[in-house]
Amino acid sequence: MSDRQYWLMKSEPDEYSIDDLERDGVEPWDGIRNYEARNNMRDKMNVGDGILFYHSRISPPEIVGTMEVASEPYPDPTQFDPDSKYFDEKSSEEDPRWKLVDVKFVQKFDEPVSRTAMKEEPALEEMVIFKRRRLSITPVTEAEWKKIHEMAGAEVK
DNA sequence: GCCAACGTTGGC
DNA sequence: GCCAACGTTGGC
């Protein structure tokens, strides 16, 4: 799997946390309503890609574990549900605007890696998360992936 | 909880 | 198709 790619995906733990994913095992990453984030899921991800799970909007924001892409892209069901806060009246079943992938729990870090710690690490200063403030799904390099695991004292999986 | 940054919408 | 207004994200 030499062509394995890596990603970072943000979630507010009040909405969906690493503990929720550990409990659920596999979960659709729904509710993404940003085109670039969608494009990453729809056009670039492959089953088996590694994903850093990032807790946002808490203090401190931190990487709390990892997951894996677990499906091909498919339409986000919440866009068709009028009762969902992610309902999109401009989308249709024939031409769905929003697609997502399923993610699978891999591991929870014993020592989460905070945004501050990441910022202080020179090897991570080029991370896309620091340049694209509001993008919730960003690419990660293999070197960054390994470095984060090292900082978490975790086995690279 | 504030509010700057910034992606998106819609009038023209 | 420009760009002001709007709405949301997310660090602090």
Side-chain angles (χ1 to χ4, degrees):
Chain A
M1 212 186 286
S2 59
D3 59 347
R4 190 185 193 204
Q5 301 178 96
Y6 303 95
W7 306 93
L8 179 152
M9 308 209 326
K10 298 177 185 176
S11 179
E12 299 178 30
D14 288 349
E15 289 284 322
Y16 198 78
S17 73
I18 186 87
D19 293 322
D20 294 325
L21 183 63
E22 182 167 25
R23 179 197 63 218
D24 297 336
V26 177
E27 182 74 3
W29 201 259
D30 61 18
I32 297 299
R33 295 295 180 268
N34 167 283
Y35 290 105
E36 197 171 348
R38 177 206 65 183
N39 292 349
N40 283 337
M41 286 198 289
R42 190 189 64 181
D43 307 332
K44 306 206 173 139
M45 286 186 183
N46 294 299
V47 172
D49 282 0
I51 308 165
L52 299 169
F53 196 134
Y54 178 98
H55 280 175
S56 67
R57 240 173 186 280
I58 51 159
S59 193
E62 58 190 8
I63 292 173
V64 290
T66 66
M67 48 192 171
E68 225 172 66
V69 177
S71 79
E72 300 293 328
Y74 64 94
D76 181 342
T78 63
Q79 71 194 304
F80 308 126
D81 175 5
D83 296 328
S84 169
K85 67 174 178 176
Y86 300 122
F87 177 63
D88 184 349
E89 61 178 10
K90 292 179 182 167
S91 189
S92 66
E93 305 256 5
E94 300 74 48
D95 184 22
R97 181 179 289 194
W98 306 107
K99 291 199 177 182
L100 52 67
V101 296
D102 290 344
V103 296
K104 180 176 72 181
F105 177 82
V106 173
Q107 69 174 321
K108 181 178 173 178
F109 290 158
D110 294 328
E111 307 169 58
V113 181
S114 73
R115 182 183 181 87
T116 314
M118 292 162 67
K119 261 188 175 163
E120 287 169 354
E121 169 54 55
L124 299 180
E125 69 183 4
E126 294 295 315
M127 282 190 78
V128 178
I129 191 183
F130 296 130
K131 303 181 174 178
R132 300 299 309 281
R133 193 173 181 274
R134 301 184 48 183
L135 187 57
S136 67
I137 301 180
T138 53
V140 170
T141 68
E142 184 174 11
E144 290 161 352
W145 173 260
K146 287 178 175 166
K147 188 71 190 178
I148 297 280
H149 282 77
E150 180 191 320
M151 292 166 76
E155 185 189 345
V156 179
K157 292 182 182 173

